[in-house]
Amino acid sequence: MTFLVRRKMNEPRTLRDEMDRLFDDFFGMTPARTERGAVWSPVVNVRENDNNFYIEAELPGMKKEDIDLEIEQNSLCIKGERKFEKNEEGENYHFVERSYGSFYRSFSLPSNVDAESISAEYKDGVLQVTVPKKEEVKPKKVAIKQ
């Protein structure tokens, strides 16, 4: 049996709910619960430096074979499924807080990225996606003839 924690319709939104919504809107992230039947959403950090954007998703307890990374219509999509581990005979769970089932996260890619050079590494339950930026095209000086 899978336990899902859901907010009641009349329950007020928390500050965290509002901050999550604000960041999702700002960074073009698609809420996981509304996409493709996903039931949970991994925690994600997005950062950048001069050369790359980095997306780090916490996916503890998953195998890399259960994670898909795709580029669809200028979006980077991370999706997969975490399966509930069967309990041993004679064991009973009293409380389950980890989420199980399918997930889906989508990130809009800015126009200055090199989508062909995106790479990913999965280590210690964290998926790190490196999204390289395109080299800026420097203006070319044109000589004016008389």
Side-chain angles (χ1 to χ4, degrees), residues 46-98:
V46 179
R47 60 187 172 87
E48 74 174 296
N49 61 23
D50 290 339
N51 300 316
N52 301 301
F53 290 97
Y54 299 96
I55 300 170
E56 297 168 331
E58 291 184 9
L59 300 167
M62 293 191 68
K63 297 176 185 170
K64 73 176 189 174
E65 296 82 23
D66 296 330
I67 304 166
D68 290 322
L69 186 62
E70 297 178 355
I71 299 171
E72 299 176 357
Q73 300 176 357
N74 210 31
S75 293
L76 177 77
C77 303
I78 303 171
K79 56 188 170 181
E81 182 175 2
R82 182 164 51 199
K83 296 177 175 79
F84 186 74
E85 301 165 4
K86 295 179 182 178
N87 59 342
E88 297 295 323
E89 189 66 34
E91 289 184 356
N92 294 312
Y93 285 93
H94 294 280
F95 200 73
V96 176
E97 288 189 329
R98 290 184 69 186

Side-chain angles (χ1 to χ4, degrees), residues 24 29-41 104:
D24 287 349
M29 297 175 195
T30 306
R33 296 183 198 287
T34 62
E35 286 289 332
R36 303 182 188 205
V39 295
W40 69 282
S41 181
Y104 179 90

